[in-house]
Amino acid sequence: MTLTETAGAEFFDERILDHVWSLVGGDPDAPRPRVRVAQDAPLAAGLGSSSAVALCAARLYHARLHGPALSDERAVEVAYEAERRVTRGGGMDQVAIARRGIVRLQGTRERRPPAVVEHITDAAQVAGLGMAVFDSRSRKDSGKHLARVRERDLARDPRQARYCEIVDQLTEGAWTAIRSRDWPGLGTIMNQAHAAMRDLQDMSTPAIEAIRDIALSAGFDGVKITGSGSGGCLVGVVSRVSLGEAVRRVGELASTRRIRLDCLPVRVDMGT
C-alpha cells in the first residue's frame, strides 16, 4: 500500500485522518492535505487497511509539517490514538504493520498499543509456508463488533471469558508451530481459532462458511476469519500441496458451487 498527497477523495472514515493531522501538529482548524491510496489488498475487509492508511498518513503529514522522518514507534502511537478516537480499536494492526515479520503481542487494558514480546524476521522461518487471502466481497464493520465485545465484557458474558481462554491457549500453540515450522499444525490451530470466533463471537456468516469449506476442500491446512468478521476476508495456510495448485482448486470449486470470491496468494513481509 502506498499513500501520496493529492486532491483526491478519501476512501474511509475521514475523522481518522483528521485526528492523525492534529496529532502530528497540524492545525485542526485548517484544511489538511487530501490523500489517495494505491493498494492491492481488499479494503474494509479485516486486513488492517485502515491502520495501514493511518500509519502512512502519520508519516506523510509529519514530513509535510516538519521534514524529518517519523519513527516507527511514534507513527504507531499516532495511528493507534487516531483510530482509537473513532473506533476504539486495540492497536494490534498498527504495531504488526509497522514492525513487519511475525509478531507476538501482549495486550493491555491501558490506553496504549500492545507490546511486542516476540518478533521473527528471518525469512527462512517461513520456508514451505503458502498463504492466501479469500475475499468474500462483503464489507465488515469493526465498530459494531468492538461495541458488541465491550457490551459482553461489561455484562460478564461467560462466552467472552471462554473465548479469551481458548485464544490464549491457541496463541501458545500457534507460536510453537511457527517456531518448529509445523505448518499443518498451524493450520489445525487456525481452524480451532475460527471455530471459537464463529461459535463464541458470532463473527462468521453462511457466505464465509461456504468460502471456508471450499478452501479446505482445495487443500488448505487451515482457514480462519480475519479482522472483526461478519464479512471481509479469511486467511489460509497451505503446505501439503503447492499454493498454486490449491488456488487453482479453489477457483474450480467456487465456479462449480457458484460461490463468488477472490483468492489472492500472499507472502509474509519479513521486513527484508
Side-chain angles (χ1 to χ4, degrees):
M1 177 178 287
T2 59
L3 199 65
T4 54
E5 200 170 302
T6 179
E10 316 293 356
F11 88 100
F12 79 143
D13 196 322
E14 294 190 14
R15 293 176 297 168
I16 295 175
L17 295 184
D18 290 338
H19 288 303
V20 169
W21 174 247
S22 64
L23 285 165
V24 297
D27 183 351
D29 296 322
R32 60 169 168 76
R34 298 283 182 170
V35 296
R36 174 179 294 145
V37 175
Q39 96 300 324
D40 298 318
L43 302 176
L47 298 175
S49 57
S50 62
S51 296
V53 169
L55 282 165
C56 289
R59 294 189 173 106
L60 178 70
Y61 291 162
H62 186 272
R64 170 73 177 269
L65 291 166
H66 309 295
L70 196 63
S71 69
D72 282 349
E73 182 178 4
R74 180 55 183 158
V76 166
E77 291 174 351
V78 169
Y80 161 76
E81 179 60 21
E83 286 203 84
R84 188 200 64 78
R85 293 178 181 182
V86 176
T87 67
R88 298 183 67 184
M92 294 186 296
D93 290 347
Q94 297 92 343
V95 176
I97 292 167
R99 296 296 295 270
R100 298 188 291 185
I102 306 174
V103 293
R104 181 176 183 177
L105 305 175
Q106 178 63 55
T108 174
R109 289 193 177 274
E110 297 178 18
R111 211 171 71 184
R112 57 184 173 84
V116 176
V117 296
E118 193 164 355
H119 189 200
I120 298 174
T121 58
D122 182 3
Q125 189 63 41
V126 294
L129 174 65
M131 296 186 66
V133 165
F134 308 93
D135 183 11
S136 68
R137 302 184 185 179
S138 59
R139 294 175 68 91
K140 53 84 185 173
D141 189 331
S142 296
K144 288 183 179 179
H145 170 71
L146 292 171
R148 185 168 64 244
V149 169
R150 286 191 294 272
E151 289 174 1
R152 289 178 175 177
D153 270 340
L154 292 172
R156 298 186 181 275
D157 189 324
R159 293 189 304 166
Q160 190 73 7
R162 178 58 180 155
Y163 174 75
C164 293
E165 179 185 348
I166 290 173
V167 168
D168 284 345
Q169 294 171 353
L170 292 178
T171 298
E172 292 294 336
W175 273 93
T176 298
I178 290 169
R179 293 190 200 102
S180 60
R181 293 170 55 187
D182 176 11
W183 307 133
L186 178 62
T188 296
I189 291 168
M190 290 173 63
N191 290 332
Q192 293 170 341
H194 178 85
M197 298 165 84
R198 178 192 62 214
D199 300 339
L200 299 175
Q201 294 280 287
D202 303 320
M203 293 172 66
S204 191
T205 66
I208 290 291
E209 293 302 311
I211 292 172
R212 185 168 177 271
D213 183 63
I214 285 174
L216 292 172
S217 298
F220 279 86
D221 300 317
V223 184
K224 66 177 287 294
I225 194 78
T226 184
S228 59
S230 300
C233 291
L234 302 95
V235 62
V237 297
V238 61
S239 61
R240 288 176 284 200
V241 300
S242 71
L243 176 60
E245 175 62 16
V247 169
R248 185 189 65 79
R249 293 179 185 176
V250 166
E252 290 180 349
L253 289 170
S255 177
T256 299
R257 301 182 190 182
R258 297 183 179 180
I259 301 294
R260 297 181 59 197
L261 66 93
D262 294 316
C263 183
L264 312 170
V266 297
R267 66 177 179 84
V268 180
D269 181 0
M270 303 302 285
T272 55

